[in-house]
Amino acid sequence: MGCLAGLGWFILLVAVVNIEAQNKPPIKINCKCLGNLLRVDLSRLGGSFFEVSAVINNSSIILTPSLSSQCGFTIKKYHLGNAVIYASVQNCFAQNVDDKAFTTKLGLRLQSDNVVEDEFYLVEETCYYSSWASREIICKPNYMEVSVKKAAPNDYNLPAYHYSDPRKAAEQPMDAGFRITTVVFFTPEERVMQVDEVQRNGYGISSTPTRLVLRSPNPSHETYTEDVAGVPMTVLNTSIIFEKTKLTTQLYAGAACPQAQGGVFFTETSIRWFLPRHIDPLIYSKHFRLLEVNMGVDGRKLEATELSARNYSLTLDDLYVIVEIPIGAAGCQIKSHAQDGQYFTSYMNELMLELLWTEDDTNEDTRYKVFLPVETPLQLQPPQVIDATVPKEMMFKALIGPVGFDVMLKNISSPSEVLSLADCIARGFTVFDQMSPNGCSKVYTVEVPFTDRVVGQRKEMGVTIYNLHLTFGFLVLPKHAPFTATAYLRAKLEDIAPPSISGSCDDKNFYVLVKYGTKGFNFQTIMGKRMLTGSLAQQYGLMDNDTHFSLIVPFSAADSTVEAVELSSIKIRLDVTLRYPKTNTTIQDFSLACNFVTKLIECFPNGTITAIAITLESVPSLNPRRLTLRDPACGPTYSNDQYAYFVFTANSCGTTRKFLPNMMLYENEISITDELELRKLSQSKEPEFELKVFCYYDINTNQAIGFNTRPRRSEPYAGDARGEMQVEMRVALDNSYSVFQRVEDNPITKYLQQPLYFEVELMGSYNPKVSLELAHCWATLEEEKMSLPQWDLIVNGCANSRDPHPVIFHSVLPKGRVHYPSNFKRFEVPMFAFAEDKDNLNRQVFVHCEVVICDVRNPVDAACNVQCSDQDNTMKGQKRAISDDPGFKRVTSGPIIIMSS
């Protein structure tokens, strides 16, 4: 059954408190039923004071050492922050159900200097055990327990007291009503005590429905020592007297347990334990048969396969059961000791033997379970230092150990200084420990770069010799006893020249030169925060040869960092790092910072103002796309992750005007006005970003201008030329053309009953004499413009006359964001235009248009001079196929999903 453990309210005899641990992980609790014993393992206790209580009837009784012995508990805390609790299932506080189910509740209190108030945990576990032997004996270091089966529940009858074979006393049952009155101890002389005196002397005695339980502290005055086959054993020999009216009955209860280290022998490599096969004080019959022998560790039986895997040995001869285990084998514990600065160890293990025997004369069986904590004598074990240095890695590597888990590395010393572990880490040392293969100890690994100042070096015949002398200072916990280990490390390395970086600037670029150094030296180059890949190197104009490579990095590159902005220049830094990939160590850090002359603010005579806001290193989370002028509606004309570019006039976007002597000052600011963005920036504790924009214009100034005139021969017009047009087509939600579908909303879903409203705009145009014309528009099922099938929507600037649901053109008026209507075209497509093709319903379509830019004063191109015969349309002309003329610009919108219902 699983262990029930919780942190919560818990009633004590002295105080009632409910506490939560502060800044400390909860302890780990694991319960396991081991036959007639319960084992509770606790870990993560740290250095806390640890107290165990038995919980019964909502009360808590602290288990002192004497009460633990009397009631069947063994509690041990280890210096590593772990503890183990053993409890007999028949302990004084267990809830017993028919001698088959036993529930134990324990309260754990932890008190630590780092926690204001104590922590309390409640542990509850039920163990099911019904395979009782006639007699069961448990030998623990602090108590002996014997549990004897009664002949009938609750009572025994004996006409008179007589001592021969004591177990004969339980052969004649009577009716209920007997109670325990007297206990006779044989030491071997008789000593009689009343029950209350027995309990005052630290013994535990109880009667259950089917059994009698007697528990003796170890040691006690009423036990005696007997040599059994050369092994000293502590013997408890009693007779329990029951009385009812004028009747008396008795029951024998006795135990014999090997004394500490009794029968234990040590060699340099192993531990041997001899337990007598025939334990004379417990056996009265000549017909003795040993039925089972089991070996275990920490209360758990080990199967034959596990015994073999651990190299444990279990054998029997005529006199003994013999256990042999190698020193340092899996399952052991190392206990550390420091004496006179030297390191000693002893190996500890809690061995268990469980025997089951029967005596044919009585047909009674005995289960005998003995726990024997074993600790070897101290052995001098100086930690070994293994030099695992690989010179090519430019790093000394030393393995120090093995040492016990109760050892901590305190500091590392060189002849010139003493470094704490924190100092070592800050200096670039690597220090860590890992478990040894046997699980009983650990080994420390220390790595020191060749470049550290504690490493000595000298050159001989083209070879550099590196030397390292370190002393490792250890402490044995919990007493903090010190000892040391010394390492002398040496490494040879052919002289190598590491790669190096240099650089310079001009008015537009960074120039970076990386020398390879010694041939074959493998390294990585990091530009800013990005690895220099082949494609990135090509972007930066890579040029290389056998000795070096060079890069040309524009000051506006994404890998550069803006440090400061001044009135007429920007201070920009480029960081380049060379790194050794195998150890991820840095070979060289290189930074180049230069001032680049640039105009962040320009003031034009016509009142136009331009400004550039650049992301600064001090405000890394700033999103330039979110910057605006004083009027939040005035965002950047262009922006990316590095900067935002603004174009506005002196009488717009919240620009203020101030009259000064002989000049006029126009002012604005670029900043974050979005509340959500402001909240993010405030939470990041970054400085507030604000760029002041100001322009001075002279007033009351006379300028002399000279010019000549001549009659104009013709009206001016735009000449034919080739150029790049930026045209955008988008879908409006309705015919007001005020709200449009966003790109992130794609794909757009429409039903056949809903028309589509398209708008095509010539972007970045501020010329009313330039017009945007739709030459041809069509729809396809694929994004590819030339894919089939196709639906013609607009042909030569006119609605397709063969379409039963033709396109409807909408006029454009100067309103809101529309300053020049000639730069826009709007049209409506009824979705019924796609209804005739029944096979393509519930499909997605893409709408494409060819557009041409015209001079409204000189529409010489046919595409610019269109008239349509349809009365409902304002444009008309001849039909023609899709043009391959590069003067036409193609735009696409989609996908649009058409739903039939």
Side-chain angles (χ1 to χ4, degrees):
M1 181 176 178
C3 180
L4 176 62
L7 174 66
W9 287 97
F10 173 118
I11 299 179
L12 296 176
L13 293 180
V14 179
V16 181
V17 190
N18 182 21
I19 300 300
E20 293 183 358
Q22 299 178 2
N23 301 322
K24 176 180 177 294
I27 66 172
K28 185 177 180 181
I29 303 174
N30 182 49
C31 302
K32 190 171 184 63
C33 296
L34 304 170
N36 53 10
L37 286 170
L38 166 65
R39 178 185 171 111
V40 181
D41 288 287
L42 310 172
S43 57
R44 301 176 185 167
L45 299 178
S48 303
F49 169 77
F50 172 62
E51 183 179 83
V52 183
S53 302
V55 180
I56 184 170
N57 297 328
N58 293 327
S59 296
S60 175
I61 302 174
I62 296 175
L63 293 176
T64 61
S66 59
L67 185 59
S68 297
S69 300
Q70 185 176 23
C71 287
F73 293 91
T74 303
I75 303 168
K76 185 172 183 180
K77 183 182 178 185
Y78 301 99
H79 46 265
L80 300 176
N82 302 326
V84 63
I85 305 170
Y86 283 100
S88 167
V89 296
Q90 292 184 302
N91 66 78
C92 303
F93 308 105
Q95 298 178 16
N96 183 341
V97 179
D98 299 327
D99 282 332
K100 296 179 180 179
F102 305 87
T103 300
T104 300
K105 293 182 182 180
L106 298 176
L108 311 177
R109 182 169 75 93
L110 272 67
Q111 186 181 54
S112 175
D113 294 337
N114 299 325
V115 179
V116 176
E117 296 179 302
D118 296 351
E119 297 176 58
F120 291 95
Y121 293 84
L122 179 64
V123 180
E124 180 176 344
E125 178 71 1
T126 299
C127 292
Y128 297 91
Y129 185 64
S130 57
S131 56
W132 292 100
S134 303
R135 177 175 58 175
E136 300 217 351
I137 297 172
I138 298 175
C139 297
K140 292 289 290 179
N142 63 324
Y143 70 87
M144 298 186 293
E145 177 182 290
V146 56
S147 173
V148 182
K149 179 183 177 182
K150 297 178 182 178
N154 301 318
D155 53 61
Y156 299 87
N157 172 41
L158 205 74
Y161 172 74
H162 178 71
Y163 180 78
S164 56
D165 183 348
R167 291 167 300 166
K168 298 291 183 179
E171 292 184 350
Q172 299 183 8
M174 283 189 60
D175 57 343
F178 284 91
R179 63 184 180 87
I180 302 172
T181 59
T182 308
V183 179
V184 180
F185 293 91
F186 302 95
T187 62
E189 295 81 9
E190 293 185 12
R191 182 177 178 184
V192 180
M193 293 187 193
Q194 300 300 311
V195 172
D196 56 350
E197 184 183 0
V198 169
Q199 293 174 336
R200 284 197 306 271
N201 285 332
Y203 294 91
I205 185 168
S206 62
S207 179
T208 73
T210 63
R211 308 188 70 81
L212 171 71
V213 181
L214 177 64
R215 194 174 297 108
S216 168
N218 190 12
S220 70
H221 295 295
E222 285 71 40
T223 58
Y224 60 92
T225 299
E226 182 174 333
D227 186 291
V228 180
V231 176
M233 304 191 78
T234 300
V235 180
L236 173 69
N237 196 352
T238 69
S239 180
I240 314 298
I241 308 299
F242 296 78
E243 292 183 0
K244 174 186 175 182
T245 315
K246 297 182 179 181
L247 299 177
T248 301
T249 186
Q250 67 178 1
L251 182 62
Y252 168 77
C257 297
Q259 295 181 357
Q261 306 291 325
V264 178
F265 300 90
F266 304 101
T267 69
E268 291 184 358
T269 58
S270 66
I271 302 171
R272 302 185 74 190
W273 176 23
F274 293 81
L275 179 70
R277 180 171 181 168
H278 190 282
I279 302 175
D280 297 336
L282 302 178
I283 299 171
Y284 297 93
S285 171
K286 296 180 181 179
H287 304 286
F288 161 83
R289 286 189 301 126
L290 188 59
L291 304 178
E292 292 181 12
V293 177
N294 292 290
M295 176 190 173
V297 173
D298 298 329
R300 182 176 65 88
K301 295 180 185 177
L302 300 179
E303 301 296 333
T305 55
E306 192 170 0
L307 289 174
S308 176
R310 296 188 178 201
N311 292 322
Y312 289 4
S313 171
L314 176 62
T315 57
L316 287 83
D317 62 17
D318 292 340
L319 293 178
Y320 302 101
V321 178
I322 305 169
V323 172
E324 184 170 6
I325 62 173
I327 291 178
C332 68
Q333 294 181 13
I334 292 180
K335 186 176 181 181
S336 302
H337 309 263
Q339 296 179 1
D340 299 326
Q342 292 184 303
Y343 182 60
F344 294 82
T345 61
S346 61
Y347 288 88
M348 298 186 301
N349 217 323
E350 187 175 50
L351 303 178
M352 182 192 78
L353 276 174
E354 183 179 280
L355 280 57
L356 179 67
W357 71 74
T358 185
E359 299 176 57
D360 294 338
D361 291 351
T362 60
N363 292 320
E364 293 182 349
D365 54 354
T366 297
R367 178 172 284 108
Y368 181 81
K369 184 181 292 187
V370 55
F371 290 78
L372 188 71
V374 176
E375 181 173 349
T376 65
L378 294 185
Q379 291 182 314
L380 180 63
Q381 295 284 355
Q384 302 299 307
V385 178
I386 299 175
D387 188 351
T389 303
V390 178
K392 290 183 179 180
E393 296 180 356
M394 300 291 292
M395 184 85 67
F396 277 114
K397 182 177 182 179
L399 308 180
I400 308 99
V403 294
F405 293 112
D406 54 352
V407 169
M408 66 172 288
L409 179 60
K410 178 68 174 177
N411 54 46
I412 300 176
S413 304
S414 70
S416 59
E417 58 186 328
V418 178
L419 300 175
S420 68
L421 291 192
D423 295 334
C424 292
I425 301 302
R427 281 269 286 271
F429 293 16
T430 301
V431 182
F432 62 92
D433 62 75
Q434 55 191 5
M435 185 182 296
S436 302
N438 64 4
C440 297
S441 58
K442 63 183 178 181
V443 174
Y444 278 95
T445 299
V446 177
E447 296 177 346
V448 182
F450 283 0
T451 54
D452 192 87
R453 62 175 178 265
V454 299
V455 178
Q457 56 178 287
R458 69 178 189 275
K459 294 184 179 294
E460 294 180 359
M461 302 293 292
V463 175
T464 301
I465 300 175
Y466 297 91
N467 297 283
L468 181 63
H469 175 200
L470 294 178
T471 299
F472 304 97
F474 294 95
L475 295 178
V476 176
L477 303 177
K479 295 183 179 180
H480 293 80
F483 69 94
T484 60
T486 302
Y488 296 91
L489 307 180
R490 188 170 182 267
K492 291 183 178 181
L493 191 65
E494 293 183 6
D495 287 343
I496 59 174
S500 60
I501 317 170
S502 60
S504 61
C505 307
D506 63 11
D507 59 340
K508 294 182 179 179
N509 302 299
F510 293 101
Y511 296 89
V512 178
L513 180 69
V514 178
K515 294 182 179 179
Y516 291 126
T518 301
K519 189 175 182 179
F521 199 105
N522 184 27
F523 64 92
Q524 296 172 332
T525 305
I526 294 91
M527 305 292 293
K529 295 182 180 179
R530 291 193 295 175
M531 187 73 66
L532 182 66
T533 60
S535 60
L536 183 59
Q538 293 302 322
Q539 292 180 32
Y540 290 154
L542 171 70
M543 296 183 66
D544 66 338
N545 56 28
D546 291 339
T547 62
H548 66 272
F549 69 86
S550 62
L551 303 170
I552 302 175
V553 182
F555 75 82
S556 59
D559 295 311
S560 63
T561 300
V562 178
E563 290 187 342
V565 174
E566 298 177 0
L567 188 61
S568 59
S569 66
I570 308 173
K571 187 177 182 181
I572 300 179
R573 188 185 74 250
L574 179 66
D575 297 325
V576 184
T577 300
L578 302 183
R579 183 177 296 164
Y580 186 55
K582 191 168 184 180
T583 59
N584 206 31
T585 54
T586 298
I587 302 171
Q588 183 182 357
D589 279 324
F590 176 79
S591 293
L592 182 61
C594 300
N595 290 314
F596 295 92
V597 177
T598 185
K599 290 184 178 180
L600 297 181
I601 302 170
E602 286 193 84
C603 308
F604 295 91
N606 66 352
T608 301
I609 302 173
T610 64
I612 299 176
I614 302 176
T615 301
L616 294 172
E617 182 181 30
S618 58
V619 194
S621 62
L622 176 68
N623 182 356
R625 298 177 180 86
R626 299 289 186 181
L627 292 170
T628 69
L629 293 163
R630 281 178 182 165
D631 184 349
C634 294
T637 304
Y638 176 79
S639 62
N640 59 20
D641 291 336
Q642 294 177 277
Y643 68 91
Y645 178 65
F646 293 83
V647 179
F648 61 101
T649 59
N651 60 352
S652 66
C653 298
T655 306
T656 59
R657 180 177 62 182
K658 183 185 295 184
F659 288 95
L660 301 174
N662 300 321
M663 64 181 59
M664 191 178 297
L665 172 63
Y666 289 88
E667 290 183 296
N668 210 320
E669 296 100 28
I670 297 174
S671 62
I672 291 288
T673 56
D674 183 271
E675 291 186 2
L676 180 59
E677 289 294 321
L678 285 171
R679 193 176 302 115
K680 290 181 181 178
L681 288 173
S682 64
Q683 291 173 352
S684 65
K685 297 182 180 179
E686 294 178 5
E688 184 177 347
F689 180 90
E690 183 178 86
L691 176 64
K692 293 286 187 181
V693 180
F694 51 89
C695 288
Y696 292 93
Y697 288 94
D698 291 334
I699 57 176
N700 301 325
T701 300
N702 296 322
Q703 298 288 343
I705 300 175
F707 61 92
N708 295 319
T709 64
R710 69 178 180 178
R712 188 168 57 192
R713 297 176 182 177
S714 63
E715 291 294 322
Y717 61 91
D720 293 338
R722 298 189 183 278
E724 183 67 24
M725 299 183 296
Q726 186 176 353
V727 182
E728 181 177 312
M729 181 165 66
R730 46 187 173 260
V731 179
L733 296 184
D734 54 38
N735 59 6
S736 69
Y737 290 92
S738 58
V739 181
F740 295 87
Q741 296 279 359
R742 297 178 300 176
V743 174
E744 54 265 32
D745 294 334
N746 285 339
I748 303 167
T749 302
K750 291 288 184 178
Y751 294 93
L752 285 176
Q753 297 83 355
Q754 296 177 292
L756 286 169
Y757 301 96
F758 290 93
E759 178 182 272
V760 184
E761 179 186 358
L762 176 61
M763 306 297 292
S765 174
Y766 300 96
N767 191 349
K769 297 178 182 180
V770 174
S771 69
L772 171 74
E773 303 296 337
L774 301 177
H776 192 96
C777 293
W778 68 102
T780 64
L781 296 178
E782 304 293 337
E783 189 172 5
E784 172 55 45
K785 301 176 180 62
M786 305 307 293
S787 63
L788 297 175
Q790 295 182 359
W791 290 270
D792 285 329
L793 304 176
I794 298 174
V795 180
N796 288 341
C798 300
N800 184 8
S801 60
R802 291 179 294 179
D803 191 342
H805 306 283
V807 164
I808 302 170
F809 290 97
H810 292 281
S811 59
V812 183
L813 300 175
K815 182 180 179 181
R817 60 187 180 83
V818 178
H819 298 292
Y820 306 112
S822 62
N823 295 166
F824 292 79
K825 281 294 181 287
R826 293 172 177 172
F827 62 93
E828 173 185 341
V829 178
M831 293 297 283
F832 286 108
F834 308 102
E836 293 180 0
D837 190 351
K838 302 296 184 181
D839 296 332
N840 289 316
L841 294 180
N842 296 334
R843 295 284 301 274
Q844 64 180 15
V845 298
F846 294 82
V847 176
H848 317 273
C849 284
E850 278 189 342
V851 301
V852 64
I853 306 302
C854 301
D855 185 342
V856 297
R857 298 165 299 174
N858 187 29
V860 293
D861 192 280
C864 299
N865 188 13
V866 176
Q867 292 183 346
C868 299
S869 60
D870 192 340
Q871 296 290 333
D872 295 331
N873 292 302
T874 60
M875 295 181 292
K876 196 166 191 169
Q878 299 176 351
K879 300 180 187 289
R880 63 180 177 83
I882 300 173
S883 173
D884 292 327
D885 188 342
F888 288 87
K889 180 73 173 182
R890 293 177 182 174
V891 289
T892 297
S893 180
I896 303 166
I897 298 177
I898 306 171
M899 306 295 291
S900 60
S901 59

